[in-house]
Amino acid sequence: MVIRAPTPSGWITGSDRPGAFVTETRLVVLSGLLWLAMVVLAAAGHWLAGLYVLLALLLVYGVLGSSHKGRFDLKLVAFPTGVWIAMWAGAFWLGEYFAQAYAGSAPGFTVLGFHPSFAAIIALFWLLPTLLMGFGFEWVKDRWLSKERWDDYLESVNDPGSDEAPTGGEE
Amino acid sequence: MSETAKLLIALSSISVLVISFLIGLWARKKVTSPEAFFGGAKIFGPLTVGLATMAAVGSAFAVVGVPGLVFSTGNAILLFMFAAPAFVFGYLVIGKKIRAMAEIGTVASLGDLSDLRFNHHRGIKLMLSLMLFIGCAMYLSAQVEACAKLFENLFDWNQLVISVVIFTILIVYTVLSGEIGGILTQAFQGLVIVLAGLICTVAFFAVTGGFGPVLEAISGPRGAEAGLDPAALTAWGSLPGAFSFAWVMLPTLGIMCQPQVLTRMMMLRSPRDLPRLSLYAVITNMVTGLMVMSIGYCAIYLVASGTVTIDHPDKAVFKVADYLGLAAQLFVYPAVLAAALSTSSLFLSLAGNIVSRDLPGSLGLELAPERQVSISRIAMSVMGISAIGFAAVSGDMVAILGTYGFGTLAAATFPIFIIGLLWKGASSQGVMAGMLTALLATLVGVGIELSKRFGVTEFSWPGGVPWYVFVMAAAVLVTIAASLFTHGATGRDLDRRVRLAMDL
């Protein structure tokens, strides 16, 4: 397998970090392996394990999506994406735990009237992570794309003579 | 139901159609260029786009099919509806890159986006066009079917006549105003769905007293007599776990590459509005989720308490609305129509774009923009009429195909727009191979499912996992593997401006 490194006369820019392309490629290969593991596990009947692998896959896409000129913004991955993924892991675990605990019988308790297994889904899969991601994204808006970075991008794109990446934005 | 009630419900539903038509007519003024007609106008704010996105994603399947599945098989399908955080994740990961691409050139269709990233690769554009066209056909016919069922439940009207009337109006306003009218009418229709959601939720609590009584009812003797399974109210419902897996995985990875989401990102005024857009989209999506859960739970409660009988899951939403009374009926029926119309107008526009711009472009034919608009209008009309005809002759097969649309579209778009925009090493040959795999695997998958339907084969997919999961995985793996050994549209071949957009 050959991982093609960027060349100075190719698409690398003054602000690119050496090795960023290789890291990006390794992450993409890892995502492919996770896809394979996820589907194989589900096909073999281990669907819950497949769901946990899905969470790892989301993390990889989160890291790839945070890339800015070869830098991965791990703070942006940690919040809100990382917290969301942790909540989903908790939802799957609790959902399965209570589904098994009360299999074939009425549950010993309910949460706001819900079966405890589904209450975990309501709280940790749906309501809290949806609000967290919705408001969290607004919270990190400037880190995700500052006005300066966007303006620099527009300037660079519209300048036919420029071969440099925009330099704006924060790191 | 009294004749007066039926008339009022019909009027409320028709008013959605009439208002949509008027919005479409008004929006025609804003179509100042062919690009604007096709969706290239970056003029909309986050609220409009958020509502339109939610409405276009929330098809008739969400409003009719999901409550029926909640009633018959329990909570598993709600995992699909509750995966709203994936909306935000999609915007976080690829939103600014997609929106940035719209600054590089005229980007009015997904084919234009593919052209920019993969240096006008005709094969990729052809594959994308074919896959999107298949997905459009599946979705459109299912929406026609849902509209026909809606009015059939109220009146003893001919299904074909109902479909022709509703879709003629839809086709006319979509043909006149293109994507500009599409997004404005979808925003209005989204508002109708949200209003219905709020009313249904309040009505649910008024009728049942909350979620506890539903659990008690399904666990009681009458629940068992009605054939309801108490396991339905656990996290995974009463279906095999593979369904829970598929219904989490499909929206989580699939939502960010659905045409309804991708095309709307490009129409936003500023990319810095994406967080606000995602907030509006997920909050309205939450209301829709609450609505379908309330209706499904209400159906369980009413059947388990012996109040109502439901002979087919797809009738659950109408039976519940009828039980809740006129106030609920006046919003639920229009909401079903709004969901079907919003999805249909988007896929009609998409089909028009494919036939007039993307497909000719992939075959090396250059058409003048004005001619593209004319061809697009003809294509939308033909596509709409074909969908009516297909729905009329193929019965419930349409509904089955409709459920495949989401997976088919995700398999088509994931390699190009997710892998392609996240990885500068995604080569044109790799994506082409992935798309070819997706197309062939989709045809095989649909063929096997239809063969099973008609008793030709008893083949079952490993682990009971739905076939489209394998299609998506195969497309992704082939794209990555082939890209590792090929170089098209990477390195020196990657446009400087595209690189800047991917690096944003």
Side-chain angles (χ1 to χ4, degrees):
Chain A
M1 184 176 74
V2 178
I3 297 176
R4 287 160 286 112
T7 61
S9 54
W11 48 263
I12 195 168
T13 68
S15 54
D16 270 323
R17 296 174 68 221
F21 176 78
V22 176
T23 308
E24 200 178 82
T25 300
R26 284 179 179 158
L27 283 170
V28 170
V29 171
L30 176 63
S31 76
L33 295 174
L34 289 171
W35 264 95
L36 189 62
M38 176 178 76
V39 174
V40 167
L41 280 168
H46 305 294
W47 59 273
L48 191 60
L51 283 181
Y52 287 119
V53 176
L54 168 66
L55 299 182
L57 181 57
L58 292 175
L59 201 58
V60 173
Y61 285 131
V63 173
L64 282 167
S66 75
S67 168
H68 170 55
K69 289 185 283 179
R71 283 181 189 276
F72 298 107
D73 188 342
L74 297 183
K75 278 189 183 171
L76 198 58
V77 179
F79 182 86
T81 306
V83 182
W84 160 51
I85 289 172
M87 281 186 182
W88 272 27
F92 296 152
W93 188 83
L94 286 170
E96 176 65 3
Y97 175 80
F98 286 116
Q100 293 299 330
Y102 296 112
S105 64
F109 70 101
T110 61
V111 180
L112 298 175
F114 289 109
H115 191 290
S117 166
F118 190 56
I121 296 294
I122 290 283
L124 294 175
F125 182 84
W126 186 38
L127 294 180
L128 291 176
T130 302
L131 295 173
L132 168 96
M133 286 294 275
F135 288 101
F137 190 15
E138 181 71 23
W139 181 265
V140 299
K141 180 166 95 172
D142 286 333
R143 186 174 188 90
W144 175 75
L145 180 64
S146 65
K147 188 173 182 310
E148 293 73 27
R149 195 195 289 181
W150 177 247
D151 289 343
D152 283 349
Y153 166 76
L154 291 179
E155 199 177 308
S156 300
V157 158
N158 294 320
D159 176 8
S162 167
D163 199 31
E164 288 298 306
T167 54
E170 64 299 304
E171 290 299 337
Chain B
M1 193 190 306
S2 72
E3 288 304 312
T4 311
K6 284 184 181 178
L7 189 65
L8 287 172
I9 296 165
L11 283 175
S12 68
S13 302
I14 290 166
S15 67
V16 170
L17 204 56
V18 171
I19 294 171
S20 300
F21 182 76
L22 293 174
I23 292 172
L25 274 187
W26 176 80
R28 196 182 172 196
K29 291 180 200 163
K30 289 187 172 282
V31 184
T32 52
S33 66
E35 285 73 28
F37 179 85
F38 288 115
K42 295 165 277 191
I43 58 172
F44 294 105
L47 182 61
T48 307
V49 181
L51 274 170
T53 303
M54 183 280 289
V57 170
S59 64
F61 171 71
V63 185
V64 177
V66 171
L69 281 169
V70 173
F71 163 69
S72 58
T73 61
N75 288 328
I77 189 65
L78 289 175
L79 297 167
F80 187 95
M81 291 300 295
F82 289 174
F87 259 115
V88 186
F89 182 66
Y91 294 124
L92 247 168
V93 170
I94 58 156
K96 62 185 171 189
K97 299 178 199 298
I98 296 265
R99 181 58 185 74
M101 296 282 273
E103 297 294 333
I104 297 174
T106 302
V107 179
S109 70
L110 296 181
D112 293 340
L113 207 56
S114 152
D115 271 350
L116 281 175
R117 171 61 184 88
F118 294 104
N119 298 344
H120 300 268
H121 192 288
R122 286 184 189 175
I124 292 175
K125 203 170 183 179
L126 181 64
M127 286 293 149
L128 178 66
S129 301
L130 291 175
M131 289 287 286
L132 289 179
F133 201 81
I134 292 171
C136 284
M138 288 174 173
Y139 256 111
L140 272 173
S141 299
Q143 308 312 308
V144 175
E145 178 85 351
C147 283
K149 277 187 177 162
L150 165 73
F151 284 97
E152 190 189 26
N153 191 62
L154 276 179
F155 304 101
D156 193 20
W157 290 350
N158 181 286
Q159 275 202 22
L160 185 62
V161 175
I162 298 168
S163 308
V164 168
V165 171
I166 293 174
F167 274 74
T168 301
I169 295 171
L170 168 74
I171 291 166
V172 169
Y173 77 66
T174 310
V175 159
L176 286 175
S177 57
E179 274 287 71
I180 299 261
I183 200 163
L184 290 172
T185 53
Q186 285 152 25
F188 161 70
Q189 289 149 3
L191 198 61
V192 173
I193 296 170
V194 169
L195 279 175
L198 294 172
I199 285 168
C200 280
T201 306
V202 171
F204 162 78
F205 281 102
V207 168
T208 64
F211 297 102
V214 180
L215 191 58
E216 283 171 24
I218 198 171
S219 304
R222 278 191 173 168
E225 278 172 29
L228 297 171
D229 181 358
L233 297 190
T234 65
W236 319 121
S238 56
L239 287 171
F243 284 88
S244 294
F245 167 77
W247 286 339
V248 172
M249 176 252 162
L250 195 60
T252 304
L253 293 171
I255 199 85
M256 60 179 150
C257 56
Q258 287 294 305
Q260 304 97 304
V261 177
L262 289 171
T263 54
R264 269 63 194 126
M265 288 183 202
M266 298 188 288
M267 298 173 88
L268 198 60
R269 203 178 295 129
S270 161
R272 281 176 46 79
D273 284 337
L274 272 167
R276 193 60 62 88
L277 154 64
S278 71
L279 194 56
Y280 294 136
V282 294
I283 286 175
T284 50
N285 185 275
M286 279 175 84
V287 176
T288 313
L290 199 56
M291 173 174 77
V292 297
M293 179 170 70
S294 298
I295 294 171
Y297 270 46
C298 209
I300 291 172
Y301 178 81
L302 293 174
V303 170
S305 58
T307 312
V308 164
T309 54
I310 297 175
D311 58 1
H312 191 286
D314 277 355
K315 290 184 180 171
V317 62
F318 304 116
K319 290 282 185 182
V320 169
D322 294 347
Y323 180 82
L324 294 178
L326 192 58
Q329 288 168 314
L330 288 178
F331 283 91
V332 170
Y333 282 83
V336 174
L337 186 61
L341 288 177
S342 56
T343 307
S344 300
S345 66
L346 183 130
F347 283 101
L348 270 184
S349 301
L350 199 62
N353 269 0
I354 292 167
V355 174
S356 63
R357 288 170 63 92
D358 296 347
L359 206 52
S362 71
L363 299 172
L365 302 171
E366 289 298 326
L367 301 174
E370 289 73 20
R371 191 161 163 74
Q372 287 176 356
V373 172
S374 306
I375 292 175
S376 175
R377 285 177 165 151
I378 294 167
M380 283 191 234
S381 307
V382 172
M383 187 76 179
I385 293 164
S386 305
I388 295 168
F390 186 56
V393 297
S394 52
D396 67 348
M397 196 176 80
V398 168
I400 297 164
L401 289 178
T403 61
Y404 297 162
F406 199 94
T408 304
L409 292 171
T413 50
F414 202 94
I416 300 182
F417 302 114
I418 308 303
I419 300 177
L421 287 177
L422 289 180
W423 183 32
K424 296 187 196 80
S427 71
S428 49
Q429 297 92 335
V431 169
M432 176 73 191
M435 297 285 294
L436 196 58
T437 304
L439 179 62
L440 295 175
T442 296
L443 294 176
V444 170
V446 172
I448 289 175
E449 288 300 307
L450 293 179
S451 301
K452 282 163 68 179
R453 181 82 183 161
F454 294 111
V456 178
T457 176
E458 291 180 356
F459 176 83
S460 60
W461 297 91
V465 176
W467 64 272
Y468 40 76
V469 173
F470 296 105
V471 174
M472 277 184 78
V476 168
L477 290 172
V478 169
T479 301
I480 294 172
S483 291
L484 289 172
F485 301 100
T486 50
H487 303 80
T490 65
R492 293 174 192 221
D493 287 344
L494 190 60
D495 185 289
R496 176 188 72 87
R497 298 164 305 164
V498 173
R499 185 200 329 137
L500 293 176
M502 291 174 74
D503 262 340
L504 191 63

